[in-house]
Amino acid sequence: MNLKQTAGERAAEFVENGMTIGLGTGSTVYWTIRQIGLQIEKGLQIRAVPTSEATARLAAELNIPLIDFASTAKLDLTIDGADEINPAFDLIKGGGGALLREKLVAAASKKLIIVADESKLVADLGAFPLPIEVVKFAWETTARRLEEIGLKSVLRKKENEVFVTDNGNYILDCGGGKIVEPATLHQQIKLLTGVVETGIFPAMADMLIIASENGVRIMEKSGAEKIRGENK
Ligand code: 5RP
């Protein structure tokens, strides 16, 4: 069973006629986008904002109407993947390098649905190296600033070339271990000159669609808010 496919396709059920939606990036939401493409063939009418050039190409192949993000005040829904998800619905994203546009689009959405296989559920964020988008200029200085706050990083490469984001920036992947306070760490990193955005999405997900060999679980944020309250 392809768990990414199961989770991804299930999310398409939440897309309704007339919606303006955000389309995430990655191998799980790929299946959502394909499913939306099939629904469009059957008459579904929506408009979409892609979170990467790769997703824009896929959506165009599937005849999903794309609109300019800048002309859109509010999106009804965004569906995206994640690299790690903790019980409080904090996320690490950016494994595919699209974190900046993903966060911009998610922040403009009334609802963010995250699709994933169960391997993405973790007790604490941080085993997955935290991606941080930084400006190219003097990226080494930014890496040193990160090290000063305890985050050792490596410059992301792809096929031996330095990876450049859709926004023309670099990504530093940081291994710092367990992230106890995701929102606090996110704010701390954002204050560093040279940082454009972090891959921490603090409590940004509203719903999780998680596939495992036992089936699909749909979890609402209200449950996570209860956990957050109990941990205070
Ligand atoms: C891209 C992302 C992806 O959503 C994340 O890496 C998960 O990808 P996949 O669904 O391929 O496992 O954040 O920037």
Side-chain angles (χ1 to χ4, degrees):
M1 199 186 331
N2 182 343
L3 298 180
K4 290 188 176 201
Q5 180 173 0
T6 306
E9 288 182 351
R10 185 68 182 269
E13 287 175 19
F14 292 86
V15 178
E16 292 169 18
N17 223 23
M19 278 186 166
T20 301
I21 65 167
L23 297 175
T25 299
S27 57
T28 314
V29 78
Y30 164 84
W31 295 103
T32 312
I33 298 168
R34 290 233 345 205
Q35 195 65 21
I36 292 169
L38 291 175
Q39 289 176 12
I40 285 198
E41 276 178 24
K42 293 182 192 151
L44 176 74
Q45 292 194 347
I46 55 144
R47 305 177 316 155
V49 174
T51 54
S52 62
E53 301 297 334
T55 291
R57 283 193 295 275
L58 175 63
E61 277 167 27
L62 297 167
N63 298 317
I64 300 175
L66 297 178
I67 52 164
D68 178 15
F69 181 44
S71 68
T72 319
K74 203 79 190 160
L75 304 177
D76 296 298
L77 171 68
T78 286
I79 304 171
D80 204 346
D83 299 300
E84 280 187 344
I85 308 160
N86 75 8
F89 281 35
D90 302 308
L91 313 170
I92 285 186
K93 288 185 49 54
L99 64 112
L100 177 56
R101 294 190 191 184
E102 288 173 339
K103 196 175 273 187
L104 279 163
V105 171
S109 300
K110 290 182 200 156
K111 183 170 181 164
L112 174 62
I113 297 180
I114 294 295
V115 286
D117 63 61
E118 65 174 346
S119 70
K120 305 292 182 68
L121 294 180
V122 296
D124 296 287
L125 302 183
F128 188 90
L130 172 63
I132 300 178
E133 185 154 346
V134 300
V135 292
K136 275 184 187 174
F137 180 74
W139 67 266
E140 298 92 335
T141 310
T142 309
R144 279 196 290 277
R145 287 183 203 277
L146 285 165
E147 196 159 353
E148 279 165 19
I149 62 163
L151 295 171
K152 270 196 185 310
S153 64
V154 289
L155 183 64
R156 186 176 296 185
K157 295 200 174 153
K158 197 175 172 188
E159 289 154 13
N160 276 338
E161 299 286 329
V162 177
F163 177 83
V164 179
T165 70
D166 286 346
N167 319 296
N169 298 314
Y170 285 162
I171 290 196
L172 295 173
D173 290 303
C174 297
K178 185 165 148 179
I179 300 173
V180 185
E181 297 268 3
T184 309
L185 182 64
H186 163 72
Q187 283 167 4
Q188 204 183 356
I189 299 168
K190 279 282 274 197
L191 286 176
L192 302 179
T193 306
V195 167
V196 179
E197 191 50 82
T198 88
I200 298 175
F201 285 48
M204 282 181 80
D206 297 296
M207 178 188 277
L208 309 179
I209 299 183
I210 306 294
S212 70
E213 295 295 339
N214 300 324
V216 175
R217 267 190 296 164
I218 298 185
M219 290 175 257
E220 300 268 3
K221 191 184 206 161
S222 47
E225 277 162 356
K226 200 163 155 263
I227 292 168
R228 197 181 295 278
E230 281 163 7
N231 288 342
K232 266 186 188 163

